[in-house]
Amino acid sequence: MSRSRRIGATFVAAFRAFLRRRTAVFFTFFFPVLLILIFGALVGTRPTGGGLFARDPAYYLPGYLGVVVVFTPLSRVGSTIARHRDGNRFEKLATTPLRRWEWLLAHTLVNVVLIGLAALLLFALVLVVTGAAVVVGPALLSLVPLVVLGVALFCGLGSILGRIASSQDGVIAASNSVALPVWMLSETFVPPSMLPAWFRPVTAFSPLTYFSRGVRTAAGGGDPTGSLAVLAVLAALFFLVGAVAVPNTE
C-alpha cells in the first residue's frame, strides 16, 4: 500500500470515528456557537465603556475561532492516543507499514477539515450576531492558513499530552488545564493592557498569541505574514515532537 493510501485510509477511519462521537461533534460545532450567542448577543461589547468587552466586536474574532482551534485538537488527538493505548491498538499498528507521523498527519487532516468547517460557521455567525466589521480583501484569505497551522500545532501538542497522560480522563484534565489559560490569555478576550505589566511578556510564549495577532491583522486588511511565519515554525516543531510522541507499542 502506498503512503497516500495509508494516510487516506487512516483519515477515513478517523473521520468516521469522530462523527460517531456525538459529544465531540457537539463541542466542535455547537458549543462555540453558544459562546457567540452568549457573549456576542446577550452580553455584547461596550467600545465606549470599560470592562472585559470594551473593544470593537471584531477584536474578539480570534477568541471565538480559538475555541475550536485549541480545544478540539487537544482533546481529540490526546484522547484518541489514550484510547488506542488502552485497547492495544498501537501494538497492531506497529505490525503495519503505517508510520507514526503518517498516523498523526491523517488525524491532523481530519481536524483541519472539521475545524475548518466549524471556523467558517463561527466566522459567519460572529459577523451576523455581533456586527463585527472586517475588511473584505486578499488579506482575509490568510485566515485559511492561520486556522490550518493552528490546528496542526495543537494536534501535535495533543499528541504529546496523550503520551504523557496515563488515561483518557487524564488527557481531558490535562487538555482543559492547558487550553483554558492559553485561550483566555493569548490576546484573545483579554487585551494585554488589562494584564499586569510583569505578565504581558509571557503572552509572547503562547502559540495562540500569533494566531490571534494574525487573525486580527487579516480581518483588518493588514498583512499577517509575520504572525504566519512564526506560527508555521511553531506548528512544524510541535507536529514533529507530537509525531515522535505517538506510541510505537505499549
Side-chain angles (χ1 to χ4, degrees):
M1 180 181 290
S2 65
R3 175 169 296 164
S4 60
R5 293 185 64 184
R6 292 197 301 268
I7 295 175
T10 307
F11 172 90
V12 171
F15 188 85
R16 291 175 177 174
F18 179 91
L19 294 181
R20 286 196 297 267
R21 297 183 176 276
R22 298 178 180 178
T23 303
V25 175
F26 173 82
F27 278 98
T28 299
F29 288 93
F30 299 107
F31 177 68
V33 170
L34 293 178
L35 288 180
I36 293 176
L37 294 177
I38 292 173
F39 293 112
L42 297 181
V43 177
T45 60
R46 304 176 183 85
T48 59
L52 182 60
F53 293 94
R55 301 293 183 93
D56 291 330
Y59 181 87
Y60 303 101
L61 179 61
Y64 294 125
L65 296 182
V67 176
V68 289
V69 170
V70 176
F71 283 87
T72 300
L74 284 180
S75 60
R76 286 296 303 151
V77 174
S79 61
T80 298
I81 287 180
R83 187 169 61 254
H84 279 28
R85 186 175 58 223
D86 292 343
N88 297 321
R89 290 287 300 277
F90 287 113
E91 290 186 357
K92 299 175 183 178
L93 288 176
T95 63
T96 71
L98 187 70
R99 298 184 178 181
R100 288 183 289 178
W101 72 266
E102 295 173 345
W103 183 93
L104 182 58
L105 177 60
H107 283 265
T108 299
L109 292 175
V110 170
N111 280 273
V112 166
V113 171
L114 293 169
I115 294 172
L117 293 174
L120 181 61
L121 171 64
L122 295 178
F123 179 78
L125 195 60
V126 167
L127 298 185
V128 173
V129 174
T130 69
V134 300
V135 177
V136 179
L140 201 58
L141 296 176
S142 301
L143 293 179
V144 176
L146 283 167
V147 170
V148 171
L149 291 173
V151 171
L153 190 156
F154 286 101
C155 280
L157 182 55
S159 177
I160 297 170
L161 294 179
R163 180 62 181 266
I164 295 174
S166 59
S167 65
Q168 293 187 55
D169 291 338
V171 169
I172 299 300
S175 298
N176 291 335
S177 299
V178 171
L180 187 59
V182 166
W183 175 56
M184 289 296 297
L185 301 175
S186 298
E187 299 185 12
T188 49
F189 287 106
V190 182
S193 59
M194 296 184 64
L195 298 172
W198 63 266
F199 187 83
R200 293 171 194 170
V202 177
T203 61
F205 293 95
S206 170
L208 192 64
T209 295
Y210 302 97
F211 173 83
S212 300
R213 292 174 180 174
V215 170
R216 200 167 285 125
T217 300
D223 182 9
T225 301
S227 297
L228 268 171
V230 175
L231 197 61
V233 172
L234 293 175
L237 178 61
F238 275 89
F239 182 86
L240 290 175
V241 176
V244 174
V246 175
N248 268 328
T249 57
E250 289 294 336

